[in-house]
Structure formats: structure tokens, C-alpha cells
Amino acid sequence: MDVFVTGGTGGIGSAVIKRLVEDGCQIIGLSRSDQSSEKLRRLGASAYPGDLRDPSTWVERATACDAVVHLGATFSPDMGKVDRIAMLEMKKAARHRKQPLKVVYTGGIWLYPTCKAGDMLSEKTPFSPLPAFRFMTETIKTLSTGTDLALSVVHPALVCGPDFGPVAEMTAALKESGRFETRASEHTFWPLVEVSDLAKLYALVLRQTRFRMSVIGSGISGVSVDHLASHISARHGKPLEIITQPSPEGIDPDQDWAAGYALSQSADNTHAKRLLSWSPEHSAVEDLVISLSR
């Protein structure tokens, strides 16, 4: 399978490419710099020059592949506009194909609302996105119309890697000052997923023949911030204090990327397990903390 990947040099993208290469896929990664091209090659992918902001430079090549995995994002004030234009241009370019183009689009757990105690989010939960990510729900709806694309959507929980995500950030804060500043409270629940487990989910989704699919990628359905902190503290033998920060004054909600950390959520991963036989290795908080602390 030839797979075109955007955002392949990021923390999630790198893990996804590594997994797909291991599965025997031929990966072409979108690259806007020599440095990115070199990283893609080290991961086992080939690099295709282009810019997410200028889809005319890459959509024809992308739609000539068997599938596209979209992980790219600018995290700039115009992120939504950039994403929407890129996806619309890709959909337009796919019209010439004899078969629908398989597209795996990345949504996120912050497209869903906060949970009441004891409740869990599922793929059937109506979207209630943060303003900064509202564009994703609109783009998903657009990509779902028509027959040009065979769309699948992955909604990752909070992704944890060796050097990014909640566990890494809390560990770094513990070592530096013993104080972790966050928009969450001690009692906020976070759904988590380890990055290689998430990459496995993307690979399973890519292999599916269903025309449309949506799955939540949550290895750990939900853990309170204080419980997560206690595991990290125990692992390193030092106490970690949680400091809840208010929303910054004057920030535009459409650009408040960090607001999601204040959402208290738990996510049901039953659908992904049953539909795809996904079996995340890091399904317990202790396992996750130990794995990322090596």
C-alpha cells in the first residue's frame, strides 16, 4: 500500500510512519524543509516537497496513492482555514480516481464535551468542540459527503510519548521545580493513549475496507490528574504539586489550544477494540508511566 502522510515528522506522525513501514507500506511524507526530508528518510519514508498551506504543491501526488493519513497542523491563527482548504483541494483532486481515496483524518478527544462523573464518551456522543478545534467537525462533515473519499476518522485521547504529552510534561516539571502548572484541577479526568499504541490503531484503521468509520483512540479511558501525578511521584521518588492555572486574560478562544486540558473526560475504547481488534499495551497508568520513564 502506498500511503501519503502529512505531519509525518511530529511526535504522532513519526510513530505512525514507523509502524506503517514495519507493516510493509510504502510511505511518502509531505516535507517543507531539508531537515524534515532527512527525518522522514530516517523513518523509512520518502519525502515529497510541499507545504500544507499550498495544497497545489502536493494534492495530485497524494491522491495518486492508495491512501492518505492526515496528521499535519500548523497551530497558527489560521490553522482551521489552512486545514479546510487543504482537505477541500485534496477531495477535489480525488475526483479523477476510479476508486474512492482512503483518507484517515485526525480529529481529537477535544471535539467531545466534558463528562459527568461516571459517564464515558463514545463515538456516538455528539460533538461539542472547543472553539479552537471547531473547524475539524466542519471538515469531517464535508469530507463525509459524496463518494470521492472513503473517510475514516481517528480521535486520539491525550497522546503520551517519551518527550511529549502529559506524562513527559509532568515528569519534566517534577524534576525542574516539583510544580506542574495546568489548566486542569487535581480532580480533572484525562483519557490517555501511548503513542505507539495510537500508531497501531492508525495502521489497523488503514487496513479496514469499511467506507466510513470513526474511532476514539484511548488506551486509558480516564485518570484523574492527581492520580497520574501520584504515579509519577512514586516512580521518581519526589512529590509533584498540581497548580491550576486560569485561562489567560484576553486570549482568543479560537486560538486557545490548551483549553482542552480543563475538560474532564473519560472515553470508552470498546468500539476500537471490537471493530479493529485493537489491543493497546499501555492500558494501566502504572504501565504507561513506567514505559515512558525508561
Side-chain angles (χ1 to χ4, degrees), residues 77-155:
D78 61 348
M79 177 170 70
K81 180 180 179 181
V82 171
D83 186 82
R84 187 163 180 80
I85 291 174
M87 293 299 97
L88 287 173
E89 289 300 311
M90 185 183 69
K91 184 177 182 181
K92 186 186 300 183
R95 290 175 181 171
H96 70 278
R97 292 173 54 93
K98 294 182 179 179
Q99 299 293 330
L101 174 67
K102 176 77 173 180
V103 174
V104 183
Y105 183 85
T106 303
I109 202 66
W110 292 345
L111 300 188
Y112 293 95
T114 192
C115 286
K116 296 179 181 178
D119 289 348
M120 297 187 75
L121 302 170
S122 75
E123 290 79 2
K124 295 181 179 179
T125 304
F127 287 143
S128 181
L130 292 172
F133 301 100
R134 187 181 295 117
F135 72 89
M136 288 184 175
T137 62
E138 297 168 353
T139 300
I140 290 169
K141 183 177 180 180
T142 299
L143 295 179
S144 298
T145 61
T147 58
D148 301 316
L149 307 178
L151 178 69
S152 296
V153 183
V154 177
H155 296 288

Side-chain angles (χ1 to χ4, degrees), residues 62-86:
T63 55
C65 293
D66 298 313
V68 174
V69 177
H70 181 46
L71 291 154
T74 62
F75 285 96
S76 59
D78 61 348
M79 177 170 70
K81 180 180 179 181
V82 171
D83 186 82
R84 187 163 180 80
I85 291 174

Side-chain angles (χ1 to χ4, degrees), residues 82-284:
V82 171
D83 186 82
R84 187 163 180 80
I85 291 174
M87 293 299 97
L88 287 173
E89 289 300 311
M90 185 183 69
K91 184 177 182 181
K92 186 186 300 183
R95 290 175 181 171
H96 70 278
R97 292 173 54 93
K98 294 182 179 179
Q99 299 293 330
L101 174 67
K102 176 77 173 180
V103 174
V104 183
Y105 183 85
T106 303
I109 202 66
W110 292 345
L111 300 188
Y112 293 95
T114 192
C115 286
K116 296 179 181 178
D119 289 348
M120 297 187 75
L121 302 170
S122 75
E123 290 79 2
K124 295 181 179 179
T125 304
F127 287 143
S128 181
L130 292 172
F133 301 100
R134 187 181 295 117
F135 72 89
M136 288 184 175
T137 62
E138 297 168 353
T139 300
I140 290 169
K141 183 177 180 180
T142 299
L143 295 179
S144 298
T145 61
T147 58
D148 301 316
L149 307 178
L151 178 69
S152 296
V153 183
V154 177
H155 296 288
L158 276 63
V159 186
C160 299
D163 55 2
F164 66 93
V167 173
E169 292 170 4
M170 293 173 84
T171 301
L174 181 146
K175 293 179 178 179
E176 182 176 341
S177 66
R179 294 161 56 91
F180 178 65
E181 298 183 356
T182 176
R183 302 279 279 277
S185 74
E186 292 181 347
H187 305 297
T188 300
F189 269 70
W190 286 342
L192 306 174
V193 63
E194 194 272 338
V195 68
S196 63
D197 284 333
L198 180 63
K200 181 180 179 181
L201 180 60
Y202 272 88
L204 290 169
V205 168
L206 196 61
R207 294 292 184 182
Q208 276 292 306
T209 58
R210 290 180 52 152
F211 193 74
R212 293 200 175 95
M213 178 170 48
S214 177
V215 292
I216 291 176
S218 178
I220 296 171
S221 295
V223 58
S224 65
V225 173
D226 62 344
H227 188 60
L228 179 59
S230 69
H231 275 278
I232 293 172
S233 296
R235 178 66 177 171
H236 296 278
K238 295 173 60 178
L240 178 62
E241 182 182 4
I242 304 299
I243 308 297
T244 301
Q245 294 285 346
S247 301
E249 292 185 8
I251 190 169
D252 183 350
D254 290 338
Q255 298 175 33
D256 190 2
W257 322 122
Y261 290 109
L263 295 179
S264 189
Q265 299 176 311
S266 293
D268 188 355
N269 58 20
T270 303
H271 183 62
K273 288 181 175 180
R274 288 179 176 174
L275 180 66
L276 302 168
S277 298
W278 183 49
S279 54
E281 294 182 11
H282 306 83
S283 57

Side-chain angles (χ1 to χ4, degrees), residues 35-71:
Q35 183 179 7
S36 294
S37 296
E38 178 57 31
K39 183 172 183 179
L40 288 167
R41 295 187 188 102
R42 289 199 303 269
L43 291 169
S46 60
Y48 192 83
D51 193 320
L52 200 62
R53 292 180 174 278
D54 185 5
S56 66
T57 61
W58 57 270
V59 292
E60 291 293 339
R61 184 64 187 92
T63 55
C65 293
D66 298 313
V68 174
V69 177
H70 181 46
L71 291 154

